[in-house]
């Protein structure tokens, strides 16, 4: 039993808080949030017991989860590690890792830090978006395991077990490359599909009349918070730009076949894309879509 502070009481931090509380994993849950409305709401709906200034919360904490936009995490981590007691473990939950790890690579308290990315979420944001069981059965990635102390890793793995996460280990660049393709690119695609439809369909009634489940599921991620995703795209621009170049190449090829009436080639491209089915079926078995 321990005092846990959650910096950022939205979907990611709030969902962790719900499962921590349900499991009795903490004696007290403290929130830190620059958004006063979110902070008050987090207390009101029981995500945290109270909200404190960062320095005060850090001094009281055995474990700190950082669940804010990744550019803010990058700026915060060095000063946060400066202020925490020697026994305190700091875990970030950001969706990029290279720049975050680089920010504290030579910090004297680096061993107290665990760089993690639980691959879970929804298109919603804020404290009321928090979901019990959000992390259950999902994959979690820890980066630079070798730079975290045995105590820090043990505390992190205990927490991730409570959340129901399955943890694997990667280096930061490997992580950022893979998530650029399997996570970040899908969000870009959804944002731009939504933008394309809104540009063309100025009469919104046509969208609501004609949109079916296929459109809704494909564009769902376009409802995601720009406050969260713009920093992710910024921090992973190198790998995301490569992923986008590959995606654009396939779009251009499809477009050219369409213009040329090359139906056989279009069929072949779609048939090749069908090979993703076993991968998606495997994901569904491990982690049902919410």
């Amino acid at each position: 039993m321990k005092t846990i502070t959650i910096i950022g009481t939205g979907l990611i931090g709030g969902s962790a808080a719900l499962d921590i509380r349900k499991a009795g994993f903490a004696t007290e849950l403290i929130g830190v949030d620059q958004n006063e409305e979110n902070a008050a709401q987090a207390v009101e709906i029981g995500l945290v017991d109270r909200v404190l200034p960062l320095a005060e919360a850090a001094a009281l904490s055995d474990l700190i989860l950082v669940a804010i936009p990744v550019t803010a995490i990058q700026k915060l981590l060095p000063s946060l590690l400066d202020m925490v007691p020697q026994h305190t473990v700091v875990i970030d939950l950001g969706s990029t890792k290279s720049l975050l790890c680089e920010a504290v690579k030579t910090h004297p308290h680096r061993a107290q830090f665990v760089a993690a990315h639980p691959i879970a979420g929804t298109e919603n944001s804020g404290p009321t978006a928090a979901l019990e069981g959000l992390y259950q059965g999902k994959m979690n990635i820890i980066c630079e395991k070798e730079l975290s102390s045995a105590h820090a890793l043990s505390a992190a793995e205990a927490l991730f077990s409570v959340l129901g996460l399955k943890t694997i280990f990667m280096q930061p660049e490997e992580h950022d490359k893979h998530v650029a393709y399997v996570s970040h690119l899908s969000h870009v695609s959804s944002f731009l599909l939504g933008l394309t439809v809104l540009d063309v369909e100025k009469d919104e009634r046509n969208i609501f009349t004609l949109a079916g489940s296929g459109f809704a599921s494909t564009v769902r991620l376009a409802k995601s918070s720009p406050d969260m995703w713009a920093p992710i795209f910024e921090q992973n621009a190198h790998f995301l730009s490569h992923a986008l170049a590959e995606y654009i190449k396939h779009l251009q090829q499809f477009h050219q076949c369409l213009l040329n009436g090359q139906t056989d080639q279009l069929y072949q491209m779609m048939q090749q894309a069908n090979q993703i089915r076993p991968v998606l079926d495997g994901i569904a078995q491990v982690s049902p879509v919410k």
Side-chain angles (χ1 to χ4, degrees):
M1 303 288 280
K2 57 199 75 177
T3 298
I4 296 178
T5 286
I6 297 178
I7 303 175
T9 58
L11 168 68
I12 299 302
S15 296
L18 286 174
D19 288 343
I20 289 169
R21 187 180 298 284
K22 183 178 180 180
F25 190 67
T27 53
E28 183 179 26
L29 280 167
I30 298 173
V32 174
D33 205 308
Q34 288 188 338
N35 185 313
E36 292 184 4
E37 184 178 345
N38 282 358
Q41 201 169 51
V43 174
E44 181 182 347
I45 64 178
L47 296 183
V48 296
D49 298 307
R50 55 178 172 155
V51 173
L52 294 176
L54 177 60
E56 189 176 343
L60 296 172
S61 300
D62 300 296
L63 186 64
I64 299 175
L65 301 183
V66 187
I68 55 180
V70 288
T71 48
I73 297 176
Q74 183 184 9
K75 293 175 183 176
L76 176 66
L77 278 178
S79 58
L80 180 58
L81 286 176
D82 284 341
M83 68 178 70
V84 294
Q86 289 185 347
H87 74 282
T88 303
V89 174
V90 176
I91 305 170
D92 96 275
L93 305 178
S95 297
T96 61
K97 283 286 156 281
S98 294
L99 292 180
L100 304 189
C101 289
E102 190 63 31
V104 294
K105 201 170 190 73
T106 60
H107 195 285
H109 300 155
R110 170 61 182 84
Q112 293 175 242
F113 170 61
V114 178
H117 177 201
I119 304 177
T122 73
E123 70 276 19
N124 302 313
S125 58
T128 57
L131 290 173
E132 190 175 293
L134 176 69
Y135 300 104
Q136 187 65 43
K138 305 294 197 322
M139 295 303 300
N140 174 56
I141 301 169
I142 289 178
C143 292
E144 293 188 334
K145 172 185 178 182
E146 68 280 3
L147 297 183
S148 301
S149 70
H151 167 65
L153 282 173
S154 177
E157 289 173 343
L159 169 71
F160 296 143
S161 177
V162 164
L163 298 182
L165 287 160
K166 301 178 180 181
T167 297
I168 60 174
F169 302 95
M170 288 184 179
Q171 289 305 311
E173 284 203 358
E174 180 187 12
H175 166 276
D176 287 359
K177 178 180 179 180
H178 292 325
V179 297
Y181 284 90
V182 300
S183 174
H184 302 171
L185 181 59
S186 61
H187 280 79
V188 172
S189 177
S190 189
F191 280 124
L192 296 185
L193 174 59
L195 193 60
T196 301
V197 171
L198 289 173
D199 279 347
V200 174
E201 295 286 350
K202 300 301 183 184
D203 183 351
E204 290 189 6
R205 287 175 301 175
N206 287 338
I207 295 177
F208 297 132
T209 300
L210 301 177
S213 59
F215 173 78
S217 62
T218 305
V219 82
R220 174 180 64 86
L221 296 177
K223 297 188 291 181
S224 299
S225 170
D227 291 333
M228 173 182 173
W229 281 97
I232 291 172
F233 296 154
E234 176 187 335
Q235 288 214 344
N236 207 21
H238 174 72
F239 289 115
L240 181 55
S241 65
H242 285 286
L244 272 169
E246 289 292 315
Y247 186 47
I248 291 168
K249 181 182 73 174
H250 287 297
L251 284 173
Q252 290 173 331
Q253 183 182 354
F254 192 95
H255 187 206
Q256 197 60 49
C257 289
L258 194 64
L259 290 175
N260 295 339
Q262 296 171 300
T263 307
D264 288 346
Q265 285 86 340
L266 293 177
Y267 182 89
Q268 288 174 11
M269 290 181 71
M270 290 184 285
Q271 195 172 46
Q272 288 175 348
N274 282 167
Q275 294 175 19
I276 200 71
R277 186 190 302 273
V279 176
L280 296 177
D281 289 345
I283 292 172
Q285 289 175 8
V286 171
S287 175
V289 176
K290 294 198 175 190

